[in-house]
Amino acid sequence: DVVMTQSPLSLPVTLGQPASISCRSGQSLVHSDGNTYFNWFQQRPGQSPRRLIYRVSNRDSGVPDRFSGSGSGTDFTLKISRVEAEDVGVYYCVQGTHWPYTFGQGTRLEIK
Amino acid sequence: QVQVVQSGTEVKEPGASVKVSCKASGYTFSGNYIHWVRQAPGQGLEWMGWINLNSGDTNYAQKFQGRVTMTRDTSVSTAYMELSRLTSDDTAVYYCATTFWGGSNYWGQGTLVTVSS
């Protein structure tokens, strides 16, 4: 299985400051069809996960534009330009290029 | 407006089976997928497999092969996930979710399955 390694695992951030989460995969996530099947999910406390970014950099409808995704191959990043209180939760990366789909361990974002 | 509603909390004894349902309203069932993901208490997300709602084709993570069965009933826009030979390690919240890689992604509210004697 493809291992997805997130860092940091804990991310204390001051309100209004930027934040960045890294996700590295054990293999390239470029599929033979040319697409990269890599997403970011947010899970707020007590809630179901919510997709933020799909296929590396496409922001989901309703997701604030302070969230952005980038990367290629094996290295991917989620950036929050200015953290707000509602951003508290756990962030997961997931790949779907290789079978089975695998998630990262999660990064817990908290407000300092 | 799309709503994905799962069945309620289950408590099962070790060795039993559980069947969780996932009903999607306002969602085009045909031509899409339902994925199942679980989350053990205090742990991360674990993908279990998917079902093609049109054809009924399934794809399961090897870890669950032989124990999981995913089905769907298009007449009532409902997908099902059955897990057999339960152990305490299967205690988790089970989620269904729509298409992962494009289009719109919706999640159910989760179903807590507790395995205990």
Side-chain angles (χ1 to χ4, degrees):
Chain A
D1 298 0
V2 174
V3 176
M4 304 295 285
T5 304
Q6 291 184 227
S7 62
L9 298 184
S10 178
L11 184 55
V13 185
T14 301
L15 285 173
Q17 292 300 301
S20 179
I21 301 171
S22 168
C23 182
R24 290 186 171 167
S25 60
Q27 300 178 40
S28 173
L29 298 185
V30 180
H31 194 275
S32 56
D33 66 8
N35 289 308
T36 299
Y37 295 98
F38 177 89
N39 295 348
W40 288 101
F41 286 87
Q42 174 196 60
Q43 188 174 30
R44 290 171 171 155
Q47 294 188 13
S48 300
R50 165 200 184 196
R51 194 179 68 187
L52 298 176
I53 304 287
Y54 63 96
R55 279 187 276 123
V56 182
S57 58
N58 297 279
R59 194 182 310 113
D60 267 278
S61 174
V63 174
D65 62 7
R66 63 179 183 276
F67 289 92
S68 64
S70 63
S72 64
T74 61
D75 289 341
F76 302 89
T77 302
L78 176 70
K79 291 185 178 177
I80 310 173
S81 59
R82 294 173 308 280
V83 169
E84 298 190 5
E86 66 178 18
D87 300 336
V88 166
V90 182
Y91 292 78
Y92 295 94
C93 59
V94 62
Q95 68 82 24
T97 296
H98 303 283
W99 192 256
Y101 301 170
T102 45
F103 287 91
Q105 322 96 298
T107 294
R108 185 173 301 274
L109 186 149
E110 63 180 39
I111 304 300
K112 267 187 199 173
Chain B
Q1 183 180 350
V2 175
Q3 277 198 309
V4 180
V5 179
Q6 298 182 221
S7 48
T9 298
E10 300 267 10
V11 179
K12 297 291 182 181
E13 293 193 346
S17 297
V18 68
K19 191 170 186 177
V20 179
S21 69
C22 170
K23 182 173 175 64
S25 58
Y27 179 68
T28 304
F29 220 60
S30 179
N32 283 294
Y33 293 78
I34 288 286
H35 300 259
W36 290 89
V37 174
R38 76 177 186 178
Q39 186 170 37
Q43 301 299 309
L45 302 172
E46 181 176 31
W47 182 79
M48 299 179 69
W50 55 248
I51 180 167
N52 181 308
L53 299 175
N54 196 37
S55 64
D57 288 345
T58 55
N59 213 345
Y60 305 140
Q62 188 163 6
K63 175 177 180 175
F64 301 101
Q65 288 274 3
R67 280 210 305 141
V68 70
T69 305
M70 295 177 188
T71 57
R72 92 284 189 227
D73 183 342
T74 55
S75 68
V76 290
S77 299
T78 301
Y80 304 91
M81 187 284 298
E82 184 169 19
L83 190 62
S84 63
R85 303 193 302 277
L86 294 169
T87 72
S88 57
D89 289 343
D90 295 314
T91 293
V93 175
Y94 289 77
Y95 294 101
C96 63
T98 64
T99 305
F100 259 42
W101 311 110
S104 296
N105 177 248
Y106 303 98
W107 289 65
Q109 82 278 20
T111 297
L112 174 61
V113 175
T114 301
V115 183
S116 174
S117 54

